[in-house]
Amino acid sequence: MIIYLAVLSHDYLPARQFVPLGIGYLAAHTKSIFGERVEFHLFKSVDRLLDQCETQKPDLVGFANYTWNEKLNAFAGEKIKKKMPQIPIVMGGPNIAIEEEGISEFLEKYSFVDVYCIYNAEVSFSNIIQHCLENPTKNSHIKMLRSTPISGVYSVFEGKLVS
């Protein structure tokens, strides 16, 4: 399973000094469970992420969601979802309300997001990957992920919040 994880920033800024530590933890934890069954590519650049999607189609894309990159995530996520609607898109991070009404509003606003991981996502993200690996029919991944309650994960399925 090829997984792209992104914590996007603007490429034109002269100092892009942050390290994508959070998505590195997700990748390392998930790799420790599934080993060679998963392959990760980490991105900070919108352009590099979109170019790589053209070169090698991923099985899943994940975005780290912060106040400063919300619009970049939306730009990239909407482009990916439009071009590859069957690819599950996972998002996580602190830039979301923690009450169910706020989570639901966020997921309705950003409908390209299939599932959202709340709080520390290492366990919930690895559970998402496990569901995908156990259900290899790629056409059902989005429906399966949106409709399956997973601890620490939220989605909207058939107009209702699933958690």
Side-chain angles (χ1 to χ4, degrees), residues 127-146:
N127 288 338
I128 290 167
I129 301 307
Q130 180 177 349
H131 280 293
C132 290
L133 290 170
E134 290 176 354
N135 298 281
T137 305
K138 294 182 182 185
N139 293 338
S140 69
H141 280 172
I142 291 171
K143 183 177 180 183
M144 180 262 309
L145 287 174
R146 283 185 177 242

Side-chain angles (χ1 to χ4, degrees), residues 4 8 11 16 42-55:
Y4 293 173
L8 300 177
D11 291 322
R16 292 179 290 148
L42 308 182
F43 298 89
K44 294 185 341 182
S45 165
V46 176
D47 291 335
R48 288 185 182 158
L49 171 63
L50 295 176
D51 288 346
Q52 186 65 24
C53 284
E54 293 288 328
T55 304

Side-chain angles (χ1 to χ4, degrees), residues 2-139:
I2 298 169
I3 303 164
Y4 293 173
L5 295 179
V7 56
L8 300 177
S9 66
H10 291 284
D11 291 322
Y12 60 82
L13 298 175
R16 292 179 290 148
Q17 298 174 3
F18 73 92
V19 174
L21 187 61
I23 61 174
Y25 282 145
L26 286 179
H29 178 78
T30 306
K31 190 92 170 146
S32 75
I33 296 170
F34 301 107
E36 298 302 314
R37 296 175 67 192
V38 293
E39 175 184 327
F40 286 92
H41 299 265
L42 308 182
F43 298 89
K44 294 185 341 182
S45 165
V46 176
D47 291 335
R48 288 185 182 158
L49 171 63
L50 295 176
D51 288 346
Q52 186 65 24
C53 284
E54 293 288 328
T55 304
Q56 181 181 32
K57 186 174 155 186
D59 295 303
L60 183 141
V61 176
F63 292 96
N65 184 40
Y66 297 96
T67 304
W68 46 266
N69 73 354
E70 179 178 343
K71 298 298 182 190
L72 283 172
N73 289 338
F75 172 79
E78 287 169 358
K79 280 186 96 81
I80 292 167
K81 188 58 90 173
K82 184 176 182 179
K83 187 151 188 132
M84 297 176 280
Q86 74 284 5
I87 302 294
I89 295 182
V90 177
M91 188 175 278
N95 189 38
I96 192 168
I98 58 171
E99 75 282 346
E100 289 190 350
E101 182 180 332
I103 295 167
S104 186
E105 287 173 8
F106 183 93
L107 291 172
E108 289 169 14
K109 179 179 179 181
Y110 297 113
S111 60
F112 70 91
V113 177
D114 295 304
V115 292
Y116 199 102
C117 298
I118 303 291
Y119 305 118
N120 297 332
E122 287 84 359
V123 173
S124 56
F125 184 77
S126 63
N127 288 338
I128 290 167
I129 301 307
Q130 180 177 349
H131 280 293
C132 290
L133 290 170
E134 290 176 354
N135 298 281
T137 305
K138 294 182 182 185
N139 293 338

